[in-house]
Amino acid sequence: MTDIWDELRVRVQYIQDLCRRLKIKLIPGQGLAQSLDEAEALAEGRKQTAPANEANVLASVRAFHNVWGLYDSLYACQAAGLPIAPHLKQMTTGSADFGVPSDPSSAFKMIYYKDFEAELFIAASLARVGLPVEFLKEPNDPRGDMRVQEVFIEVKHPDSAKSLERLMRKFDGQMRRTGSAGVFVAALEDAFRLASPTSFSSRPNFSSWKEKKDDEIEVFGMAALLRASTLQNIGVLAQTSSYIEIIGDETQFVRRTNAVIYDERGYAATVNETLRRIANVFNPHPTLFSQVRKSFTAT
């Protein structure tokens, strides 16, 4: 266990040093500072003043995994020469809880942490396999968040099927206006409330809860796949889901990814190759929509 706490201390220090070097002011009790402070206390073995109840234990677990995962993304983005300051600045506000949608009545109603953390995670994943990913330079660029050569990528956290369709149509419209091909990435943890509601006492109890969520996501994903098939400038639809698994005394941060390629769009060969390489990051064997369409025709 000593090695784990030593490594956590290194990761906390790395992110804190980055913020100081990039002149990013952390806001106590929110976003990045919230996770860093709690993770640092864990690494140093400092006694917490908060009551030792389940909610505070879960907060500590979330902080540990948030910092652990964010370090990996930041390190990979820096190694690829990507500018990370704009993302870190935006991650200083809001809640850092994955799978907890924004509450309009909450002090954390602007949940920036997860949105920009997701972008860093996607960019890092693309960079690790050698894809020439770059963030778009203009804030709120309507073409998306990043690009790989001629393909644009949009990363969003829809909270419902209705919001997902609206976001996809908006992105497709922008791709159509600019004559571009796009990849739409839907991060699904908020739409399905994937935040672990409690620490499960056994794996069967956890599996029962998780199987229900998997069934809901599968139905949602199939509907989204069919909706996106009518949007001619979305070449790949990808999805991610991030959640913390807490079973007894064991915890882990799980990230699941998948993708479908709309392989009958008629793009140039170079665009198709880029789309395929991007889709492979989310699934080494991505679904081809032509095969999905055939299965529907056959039935």
Side-chain angles (χ1 to χ4, degrees), residues 166-183:
R166 174 178 55 80
L167 292 166
M168 288 195 302
R169 288 190 180 281
K170 182 179 179 181
F171 178 58
D172 179 69
Q174 188 60 36
M175 293 297 95
R176 190 167 59 250
R177 282 187 288 275
T178 58
S180 306
V183 173

Side-chain angles (χ1 to χ4, degrees), residues 142-144 152 154 164-184 227-236 262 265 267:
R143 296 173 300 172
F152 291 86
E154 177 89 305
L164 174 61
E165 182 164 8
R166 174 178 55 80
L167 292 166
M168 288 195 302
R169 288 190 180 281
K170 182 179 179 181
F171 178 58
D172 179 69
Q174 188 60 36
M175 293 297 95
R176 190 167 59 250
R177 282 187 288 275
T178 58
S180 306
V183 173
F184 189 93
R227 284 195 296 272
S229 71
T230 67
L231 306 174
Q232 293 300 308
N233 288 73
I234 293 181
V236 169
Y262 295 95
R265 297 295 203 210
Y267 299 132

